[in-house]
Amino acid sequence: MYNEAGMVQWSSHGLVREQSKPIRWSYRLKHSISDHEAAVLEEEIVQLRKSMEQAFLDNQSLTSDHVVGISRLLDEKINEYMRKSYQ
């Protein structure tokens, strides 16, 4: 079962992203961040998300130190993207 973000239900652990297409966030305000800087941040976010998903699959736990560590880095990158997009 897919939702709008390309996520699929995986076991009882929740959602896992099935597709590896780049994510383009449509709510970014024009001229608030350069296209190049946005693309770099978006790629970093995608790579961290893939790393977190793989760590989850390897550890079978959303609360393992490794998964939580990557999740925190991902949160920081998303927050950076949002801050720069809405300046």
Side-chain angles (χ1 to χ4, degrees), residues 32-43 80-81 84:
S32 59
I33 185 174
S34 74
D35 287 341
H36 174 71
E37 188 175 10
V40 168
L41 282 169
E42 289 169 6
E43 182 59 29
E80 178 183 355
Y81 182 91
K84 290 182 177 184

Side-chain angles (χ1 to χ4, degrees), residues 6-49:
M7 304 289 280
V8 64
Q9 186 72 34
W10 188 78
S11 184
S12 62
H13 297 289
L15 299 173
V16 175
R17 190 160 179 272
E18 184 78 6
Q19 301 170 353
S20 61
K21 292 186 216 174
I23 298 170
R24 292 299 297 179
W25 293 328
S26 60
Y27 53 81
R28 181 165 52 95
L29 300 176
K30 293 189 183 281
H31 308 297
S32 59
I33 185 174
S34 74
D35 287 341
H36 174 71
E37 188 175 10
V40 168
L41 282 169
E42 289 169 6
E43 182 59 29
E44 289 175 0
I45 290 167
V46 167
Q47 291 306 316
L48 281 169
R49 188 171 179 177

